[in-house]
Structures are given as C-alpha cells and as structure tokens.
Amino acid sequence: MKLNRLIGLVAVTSLAATMAIAGTSKMDFAKVFEKECQGCHGPIHQGGVGSDLRPAVLKKKSREFMAETILNGRKNTAMPAWKEKFNKDDASGMIDWLMDWKNTVELTLDLDKVKQTWAKLADREALAKKYPKPTEVKSVLDITFATERDASLVDFIDSTTGKVLSRHKAGFAVHVTVTNKANPRYAYSISRSGRLTMFDIGAPGQPALASVQVGQESRGLAVSPDGKYVIAGNYNPGGAVLCDAMTLEPLKAYDTSRVINPDGEIGPSRVASLADTPYGPYFAMALKDAGHVYIIDYSKPNFPIVGDVPNIGKILHDAFLNEDEGKDFGRYFMIASQGSDVIGIVDFKEKNLAALVHTGPRSKPHPGQGSSWYSKGQNKQLHATNSMNFGDTVIWDSNWKVVKHVKTAGGGLFVGTSPHTPWIWADCVLGQPKNYNEVDLINKDTLEIDRIIKVGKHKGQLIDAKTKKVLQEWDATQHAPVPVFEVDSKMSGEKLLPMPDHLGKAVKKPVQPRLLHAEPANHGEWTMISEWTTGRIGIYDSETGKFIKYINNLTTPTFTYSVEHRQHVPGA
C-alpha cells in the first residue's frame, strides 16, 4: 500500500464523525483541518506551533472560549482569526469534530513501503551529457527557488532579472527547498504532503528527475556537503528517510514512532529541523515532541545515530548553524524549542548540549533560516531569531548570552541577512493586520532598527525608523492572477504550470499585504520578500532597502532560496 493512500483511512473515519455532528454547517472539517490547521496543531492534534487539540485537553476549555478563538484568533499567538472563512455554525461544528476525534490510525515509517513509491521521472545522466552547461542562465548560482504554497508549486527564478523560468507541481504545500552544494545543478523540494522531488536546474525547464513519497506529512530537508545523500523528515509517520542524492533511492528509515518525551512518556515524535554541517559527516535531526536531537554519521556503514542529545526543551522546531569564522564554523546546531522558549545549542564536536539561550517567556522562537554574522559594532559574532507571539528579535553572542531584544512591529517567522546588506531583515508576518505588512531592517552593528519596509494596499514605502521620513514610495497596485492551465512536461514525467506573460486587471478591493521571508538574491545585490496575500514577491536593494520591482502572478509565495547565497551558509 502506498503511503499516501493511508490518508484515506483517516479521512473515512473523520468524515463519518463530521457528518454525524456537523449540524447546519456544510464544512468538511477533516479536509479543512488538514489544509489549514494541521501544520501548526499536528497530524494527530498534539500541538506544536499551535495548541494541543486532543479531546482530553479541549474538555478543560469552554465552548465559548474555543469558538471565540476560532473566529477571532488569539492576540500575541500564531492563531489567526478565521471569521472570514468560518461562520458560527462552522466554528461550532469544528469544535464538535475536534472533541469527538479519535486517533484511529498511527503510522510507522516503513522503508519497504517508501521504496515502492520511488519513481524516475527523467534520465539524469542523459540530461547532464546533453546539457553540460546551464541553458537558461549563465550559472545555476543565478537561480533562486520559490514555493507557492497553496498552488503546490516550486518555481525557479533567474534572480539576476526576476524572470520566472518554470513552475512545477511538487506536492501539497511545498515547504522547503535545498540544493546540492557539491553539485548545485541538482535541487530538491519536500512538500507537506510528503513528496520529495529532485530537479536538474541546469537543463531547459529545470525538469524533475525523480520523486519519492517519504511520508504522509513532511517538513525538513538536508543534503550532505559531499553531495552523496539527502535526508527528509516527517511529521507523520514520525521519522526521517535518507536517500541517495543522485537518484533519490531510499536507503534508510529512522522511525520515531516510539520515543521518550520530556515528561518521560513513550509515544511518537515528529521530526522537525534537519541540517547538514561542514564540521563533520553529520546530519542533525530534531525530534520535535521528544526534545532530543539525533546526530547521524553518514560516512559510516548503515548511517548510524552516533549522538543523542536530550533535554533541550518541548516542541522543537526550526534551527540554523553558527557562522563563526575559523575552525568552529558550523559546529553548533541552534534549535528553537517553542514549548520552553529557548534556543538549544547542540555541539557537533562533543555531541552534547552546550547551552540554552532563553529567549523570553511566551516568546516561541522561530528563526526560520536564522541569522549569524560578525558585528563590527559589537566586536563579536552574533546570532538572531524572531519570536512568534510578539514583536521581538532576540540576539545572542557565541558565549550564548542574550545581548539585545529588539522590539519589532509584530510576531514573525523569519530573520535573514548576508554579507551584502547592513541589516538583519525581520518580518512581522504574525503581527496584527495593521503591522504584518512590515519588514524591519535591524542594523547589524548598532542593533537598532534603521529602516522599515511597509507595503499598503496601494502604495509601498521605505521609512527611516528614527525620523519617520519616507525615503521612497512606489506603486503597490495589486493585480488579479492570470488563469493558466497545467501542462505535461516535455522533459520529464511531471506537471507544469506556465507563467503568464502579462498582468491581470487591477484588484478593485485590495487586501492588506502580508510580508514574510527576506532572502538575499542576485549574488547579494537584491533581497526578495514574499507577499503571501497579494501573490507576488518584492525585490529590494540589499544595501539601501529601496524597492526595485515585483514578480507577480503567484499564489501564496512563501519560502525562497538563493542557490548562490546558500552555498556559503552552513546547514542551509
């Protein structure tokens, strides 16, 4: 049985419960939960970024409180208001469905079943021989990937021009993309629906070469610096799958369906962040619910776990590596514990927990790609994370001491920087609607906000944070997406979505832009910022913060990944 068919077993049980208790609501609660809620609340409702929604926990809360939360959200948390999509009957029906939900199917990661889904989509060696040099860009390092979450797409963009080269169907809610640093011609994506895909970005149209279904719900991805292995992490079934990076052949499964959590209980754990490191032949694998980090040695036979670092905290999430120059470059895996409000510092060398950085009560750290840089003003290496629950960028040094809390306009998901910009770019995507259209530019030397990028419904502005002077204003007119239809790839066995060659009509009722994830691109000269609600990516000058242009006709653009930039970032 293929792994993705197991979804149906859950859906049948959920649908029966839904039909029995939905009342006047016509909402398919199981489907809505899978699409909109599961990412934060977990596939078996155990919580994570969001609260634990299992019946035993919900019975302690009033229906009024739960309905209010669904409809109007919770201030200073990641929970948004759903009143635009839910009416009162829908909210009541969702509460009934959650209260009656039973975990009828627990999956266990099975390597043989994963292997059954492995598919070759194009001939890698034939393409490399036919197209030894990139065909649509001067270098594959010119390419930036982008994910269109709700359209299930991975896009490849020429970051020197902003032209979208191709758009590929790659599984529901594509979450992460990475490249093979040893051979950056090859790229990989993982979708929330568990599809791992490999691409050749040097060939015309950047065709998919292979795919494999590693799980039902997945998140993390990492490639070994020697270019031999790629590892993908699952939320459900809990675990990770290590594959051959040149073929995607599954080689080993790491099952985490029975591990010990911080409370001493035995149960399943999702796998959150995964990272490679230049420090040694290791992958770090964060067990979200167990509070452990495994260290895998991919240079040894059968790819053993050679380190188990416990007691980091509850609800581990994303992570990044330190960029201290010299022998310690990439030595430390800095993992966010959102249930304990700490960053755990895992030492690849000693294979232990070097320190805990306390980010503040109820902060829920979320570094995204994270930021690590040498600050001339502070005369030391610094590292930073965003906070989800409120506007606070937390900065610490390599002695693992917090040196600054920078107040931003709202809770955020990503902080990014590069040697080509004087700032850390911190989004406020989880703030209130009046603020989530901002990105705050924090000076890397003074650790103060210098400039603010603020995009309104009609105009965008670059603002001096101290004087409030508008330094630049631009037209931010929103355009309706131009409809296009899927086509079959002529290069591989996949589906593509053509890029429209013109803008749609101006939107009569524009929405508040929601900005997130600043990514250096065009060899550091540009920074790309996704606009979730408007379907476009803004391009800005990395040195000045000034707006350059938009890439339009996208659907919920989220994650971007510059091949050239990430070549120099350990674990990215």
Side-chain angles (χ1 to χ4, degrees):
M1 181 184 293
K2 291 186 177 181
L3 284 175
N4 56 355
R5 290 182 61 194
L6 291 170
I7 299 172
L9 298 177
V10 180
V12 169
T13 302
S14 301
L15 181 61
T18 301
M19 297 304 293
I21 59 181
T24 59
S25 175
K26 296 181 180 180
M27 180 175 283
D28 183 335
F29 302 111
K31 186 175 181 180
V32 170
F33 185 89
E34 181 184 354
K35 180 181 179 182
E36 304 288 2
C37 313
Q38 185 169 289
C40 289
H41 293 286
I44 59 171
H45 301 202
Q46 72 272 53
V49 171
S51 301
D52 188 327
L53 296 182
R54 287 173 289 191
V57 175
L58 295 184
K59 287 177 181 177
K60 301 175 183 178
K61 304 178 185 295
S62 71
R63 290 186 65 89
E64 291 78 10
F65 172 83
M66 290 187 281
E68 170 70 16
T69 299
I70 292 171
L71 294 172
N72 297 311
R74 304 302 301 175
K75 189 175 181 181
N76 293 329
T77 74
M79 179 65 182
W82 291 98
K83 58 187 176 184
E84 297 300 323
K85 294 186 176 181
F86 283 66
N87 60 34
K88 290 182 179 180
D89 285 339
D90 295 333
S92 180
M94 177 61 84
I95 293 167
D96 288 338
W97 181 78
L98 290 169
M99 295 288 285
D100 195 58
W101 183 82
K102 294 178 177 63
N103 184 18
T104 57
V105 178
E106 277 198 18
L107 304 180
T108 301
L109 192 57
D110 186 315
L111 182 62
D112 290 334
K113 289 182 179 178
V114 173
K115 285 183 175 181
Q116 292 172 17
T117 71
W118 175 37
K120 180 179 178 180
L121 303 175
D123 190 323
R124 180 185 68 83
E125 293 180 346
L127 286 172
K129 184 176 180 179
K130 186 175 182 179
Y131 306 104
K133 295 182 179 181
T135 58
E136 297 181 283
V137 288
K138 291 181 179 179
S139 166
V140 293
L141 300 182
D142 293 338
I143 290 179
T144 291
F145 317 154
T147 63
E148 298 184 57
R149 196 192 75 161
D150 290 351
S152 303
L153 291 170
V154 172
D155 304 342
F156 296 104
I157 301 169
D158 179 350
S159 68
T160 67
T161 64
K163 178 184 177 181
V164 178
L165 303 174
S166 59
R167 305 163 80 197
H168 304 252
K169 300 294 286 188
F172 169 70
V174 181
H175 191 68
V176 173
T177 54
V178 297
T179 192
N180 188 318
K181 290 182 179 178
N183 192 342
R185 178 180 183 125
Y186 300 113
Y188 311 84
S189 70
I190 186 71
S191 73
R192 290 195 178 194
S193 59
R195 180 180 176 184
L196 172 60
T197 308
M198 177 184 180
F199 300 91
D200 180 348
I201 62 174
Q206 301 75 48
L209 300 176
S211 71
V212 61
Q213 191 75 23
V214 296
Q216 177 179 304
E217 186 182 3
S218 307
R219 288 295 189 279
L221 199 57
V223 181
S224 59
D226 64 5
K228 293 181 179 180
Y229 306 107
V230 58
I231 187 169
N234 291 335
Y235 271 19
N236 195 28
V241 179
L242 187 143
C243 302
D244 184 307
M246 288 294 99
T247 64
L248 287 196
E249 178 186 2
L251 301 175
K252 183 168 182 175
Y254 300 86
D255 175 48
T256 58
S257 62
R258 288 292 178 268
V259 292
I260 301 174
N261 69 21
D263 295 324
E265 301 167 339
I266 297 176
S269 179
R270 295 163 284 181
V271 169
S273 177
L274 289 163
D276 58 279
T277 175
Y279 195 80
Y282 304 128
F283 287 124
M285 172 177 159
L287 276 61
K288 188 179 188 79
D289 303 295
H292 293 232
V293 167
Y294 288 163
I295 297 175
I296 297 166
D297 188 335
Y298 56 78
S299 69
K300 294 182 177 181
N302 202 33
F303 320 111
I305 295 171
V306 296
D308 181 0
V309 182
N311 303 320
I312 296 170
K314 295 184 176 182
I315 311 298
L316 304 187
H317 197 63
D318 48 4
F320 64 110
L321 272 58
N322 70 302
E323 297 182 43
D324 301 64
E325 292 185 5
K327 59 186 175 73
D328 286 340
F329 183 77
R331 174 176 170 176
Y332 298 101
F333 177 71
M334 299 184 283
I335 175 75
S337 165
Q338 297 183 331
S340 301
D341 299 318
V342 299
I343 300 288
I345 311 298
V346 176
D347 186 342
F348 278 113
K349 180 180 180 180
E350 302 297 335
K351 299 178 180 59
N352 66 7
L353 183 62
L356 292 173
V357 177
H358 294 267
T359 55
R362 290 181 52 77
S363 58
K364 276 200 175 174
H366 192 293
Q369 74 268 47
S371 290
S372 181
W373 75 100
Y374 183 80
S375 171
K376 294 180 180 178
Q378 305 299 316
N379 195 32
K380 54 185 171 181
Q381 189 75 19
L382 298 175
H383 323 278
T385 181
N386 246 347
S387 302
M388 293 181 65
N389 278 352
F390 42 78
D392 183 23
T393 297
V394 184
I395 301 172
W396 65 94
D397 61 22
S398 291
N399 291 318
W400 319 126
K401 303 296 182 185
V402 173
V403 298
K404 190 72 179 282
H405 289 265
V406 181
K407 185 178 180 181
T408 60
L413 292 176
F414 300 97
V415 285
T417 192
S418 81
H420 305 280
T421 181
W423 301 297
I424 312 162
W425 300 54
D427 70 33
C428 306
V429 66
L430 297 180
Q432 296 298 306
K434 65 178 181 180
N435 293 327
Y436 62 43
N437 62 337
E438 286 190 20
V439 172
D440 293 332
L441 278 52
I442 303 168
N443 189 293
K444 292 193 289 189
D445 291 330
T446 67
L447 310 186
E448 301 287 344
I449 297 175
D450 275 354
R451 297 185 179 183
I452 300 168
I453 292 170
K454 191 177 184 73
V455 183
K457 295 180 180 180
H458 303 282
K459 297 288 184 181
Q461 293 181 328
L462 177 66
I463 302 167
D464 185 299
K466 296 179 177 60
T467 66
K468 308 304 179 185
K469 180 181 178 181
V470 176
L471 304 175
Q472 183 195 22
E473 190 168 82
W474 63 90
D475 180 12
T477 299
Q478 298 169 27
H479 295 269
V482 176
V484 291
F485 298 97
E486 288 183 16
V487 297
D488 293 324
S489 171
K490 296 179 180 179
M491 299 287 290
S492 70
E494 61 172 329
K495 297 289 186 180
L496 305 176
L497 201 66
M499 188 66 186
D501 58 5
H502 63 280
L503 282 175
K505 293 181 179 180
V507 174
K508 293 182 179 180
K509 294 183 179 180
V511 298
Q512 181 79 318
R514 198 168 189 179
L515 278 59
L516 75 160
H517 197 282
E519 176 77 3
N522 191 14
H523 307 284
E525 293 183 18
W526 291 351
T527 296
M528 293 184 174
I529 299 177
S530 298
E531 291 191 16
W532 218 1
T533 49
T534 61
R536 63 192 179 192
I537 293 173
I539 297 177
Y540 299 83
D541 186 286
S542 295
E543 191 172 347
T544 66
K546 288 187 175 181
F547 172 78
I548 297 173
K549 60 182 174 179
Y550 283 120
I551 302 172
N552 288 284
N553 279 312
L554 306 177
T555 302
T556 53
T558 307
F559 185 83
T560 48
Y561 181 107
S562 163
V563 177
E564 189 274 338
H565 169 64
R566 301 287 182 133
Q567 282 288 107
H568 310 292
V569 178

